[in-house]
């Protein structure tokens, strides 16, 4: 066992004072993570009572001050505001002279790359785009979740090493994203993560309506296995009535959804069509079954679908519903 005293992270060289503009769910977690690496949070801006409470919980003893004062106190500034507010914030800070030459200015927007920070760059700041591919709760658990989290990194070539080093200090894994690919990158994450929450919430509600007493317990193992299979095997992991071509079952689904949860029908049909296309392209869905299935989906989208159609039969034992 090594009994050699370990140096305090605060004694490391090149430690930075850190400020946060926007105490939403992301900023305080990143600042707290940087604090664990030895950096020193010195200021945070917060507007609502909720964000103030979050700042106090995640960054105790760090003063809450206006954005301009955050920049005045900090060598590294985290701009963690909603995407649509970011360009105006950057321009405003640069126009008022709040940005200092040599100051590291980091935004966490998935949509934007480094160019949104051009007004600050002209003022001498060092622009970095570091987007954590993670969903945040606004609680201390977020700091733990950053371990192994991928970050979408975009920055000028001369700052690439600095950007990647900050990500690694937060326990993350840097993934370089070209400036022009940021919107597509962000769309992919939103499609996979944000829409997943909607799908799961709808599924929970439908199971409750069907009389299931513990829908979360029912869905947990199923969704965990489905996610694991999808990450491992991609389209080969597709199962269920659409991938099998069970047109009658799909028609029955649509009929029940129209009766109990009409707001879910459009999403069901869109995802069923996308699933059918992928299953057909991957050779999982037989062409002769696909024709009937796609006809049911088209009729259902037009509002003429019924519970009739080809009966594809029930699930085979052990098959995912």
């Amino acid at each position: 066992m090594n009994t050699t005293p370990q140096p305090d992270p605060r004694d490391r060289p090149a430690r930075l004072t850190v400020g946060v503009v926007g105490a939403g769910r992301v900023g305080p977690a990143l600042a707290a993570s940087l604090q664990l690496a030895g950096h020193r949070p010195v200021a945070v801006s917060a507007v609502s009572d909720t964000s103030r409470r979050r700042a106090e919980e995640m960054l105790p003893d760090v003063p809450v001050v206006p954005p301009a004062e955050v920049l005045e106190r900090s060598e590294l500034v985290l701009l963690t505001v909603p995407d649509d507010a970011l360009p105006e914030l950057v321009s405003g800070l640069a126009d008022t002279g709040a940005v200092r030459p040599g100051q590291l200015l980091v935004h966490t927007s998935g949509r934007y790359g480094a160019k949104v920070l051009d007004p600050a760059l002209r003022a001498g700041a060092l622009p970095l785009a570091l987007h954590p591919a993670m969903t945040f709760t606004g609680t201390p658990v977020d700091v733990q979740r950053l371990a192994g989290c991928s970050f979408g990194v975009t920055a000028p070539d001369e700052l690439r090493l600095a950007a990647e080093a900050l990500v690694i200090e937060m326990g993350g894994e840097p993934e370089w994203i070209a400036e022009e690919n940021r919107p597509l990158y962000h769309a992919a994450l939103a499609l996979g993560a944000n829409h997943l929450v909607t799908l799961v919430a709808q599924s929970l509600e439908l199971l409750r309506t069907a009389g299931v007493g513990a829908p979360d317990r029912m869905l947990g193992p199923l969704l965990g296995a489905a996610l694991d299979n999808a990450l491992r095997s991609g389209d080969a992991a597709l199962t269920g009535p659409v991938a099998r071509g069970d047109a009658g079952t799909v028609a029955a689904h649509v009929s029940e959804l129209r009766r109990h949860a009409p707001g879910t029908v459009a999403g069901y049909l869109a995802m069923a069509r996308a699933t059918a296309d992928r299953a057909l392209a991957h050779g999982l869905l037989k062409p002769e079954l696909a024709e009937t299935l796609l006809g049911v989906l088209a009729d259902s989208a037009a509002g003429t679908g019924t519970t009739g159609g080809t009966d594809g039969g029930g699930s085979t034992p052990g098959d995912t519903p």
Side-chain angles (χ1 to χ4, degrees), residues 87-139:
E88 185 177 354
L89 171 66
V90 175
S91 297
L93 292 173
D95 290 345
T96 58
V99 179
R100 301 197 313 272
Q103 193 168 43
L104 283 166
L105 214 57
V106 177
H107 80 70
T108 60
S109 166
R111 170 185 172 187
Y112 292 108
K115 287 190 179 300
V116 72
L117 298 173
D118 276 354
L121 174 65
R122 290 191 289 270
L126 307 178
L128 308 175
L130 308 180
H131 175 252
M134 178 53 62
T135 181
F136 288 80
T137 64
T139 65

Side-chain angles (χ1 to χ4, degrees), residues 3 7 32 37 47 87 98 117 119 152 208-209 216 233 239 252 257 274 297 308 313 319 321:
T3 59
V47 177
L117 298 173
R208 291 190 190 97
T209 302
D216 52 341
S233 305
T239 63
L257 291 176
L297 293 175
D319 195 8

Side-chain angles (χ1 to χ4, degrees), residues 27-257:
L30 298 189
S33 183
L34 288 169
Q35 186 174 33
L36 292 176
H39 299 285
R40 185 163 61 93
V42 293
V44 58
S45 72
V47 177
S48 69
D49 291 340
T50 300
S51 62
R52 285 177 175 272
R53 286 193 298 270
R54 183 181 297 118
E56 291 171 1
E57 179 183 16
M58 301 283 289
L59 301 170
D61 302 323
V62 175
V64 177
V65 298
E69 192 170 341
V70 172
L71 269 71
E72 181 182 344
R73 299 185 182 199
S74 310
E75 297 164 314
L76 166 62
V77 181
L78 302 174
L79 303 179
T80 53
V81 297
D83 291 358
D84 288 352
L86 183 61
E88 185 177 354
L89 171 66
V90 175
S91 297
L93 292 173
D95 290 345
T96 58
V99 179
R100 301 197 313 272
Q103 193 168 43
L104 283 166
L105 214 57
V106 177
H107 80 70
T108 60
S109 166
R111 170 185 172 187
Y112 292 108
K115 287 190 179 300
V116 72
L117 298 173
D118 276 354
L121 174 65
R122 290 191 289 270
L126 307 178
L128 308 175
L130 308 180
H131 175 252
M134 178 53 62
T135 181
F136 288 80
T137 64
T139 65
V141 71
D142 295 332
V143 179
Q144 302 170 21
R145 288 180 173 174
L146 289 175
C149 167
S150 292
F151 279 67
V153 178
T154 306
D157 288 343
E158 62 272 19
L159 295 176
R160 179 167 181 161
L161 290 179
E164 293 179 342
L166 285 172
V167 170
I168 291 170
E169 285 193 312
M170 287 185 282
E173 295 288 341
E175 185 73 40
W176 194 255
I177 308 295
E179 180 79 33
E180 63 274 15
N181 290 338
R182 293 289 290 207
L184 179 61
Y185 150 80
H186 197 223
L189 294 180
L191 184 66
N194 303 152
H195 296 173
L196 175 63
V197 175
T198 301
L199 289 172
V200 172
Q202 288 181 340
S203 184
L204 288 168
E205 290 174 354
L206 291 170
L207 287 172
R208 291 190 190 97
T209 302
V212 175
D216 52 341
R217 189 169 65 231
M218 177 177 284
L219 278 182
L222 173 63
L223 297 184
L227 177 60
D228 183 64
N229 291 343
L231 292 175
R232 291 173 183 270
S233 305
D235 288 331
L238 286 171
T239 63
V242 172
R244 289 192 302 268
D246 289 346
T249 299
V250 171
H253 287 178
V254 174
S255 177
E256 286 300 292
L257 291 176

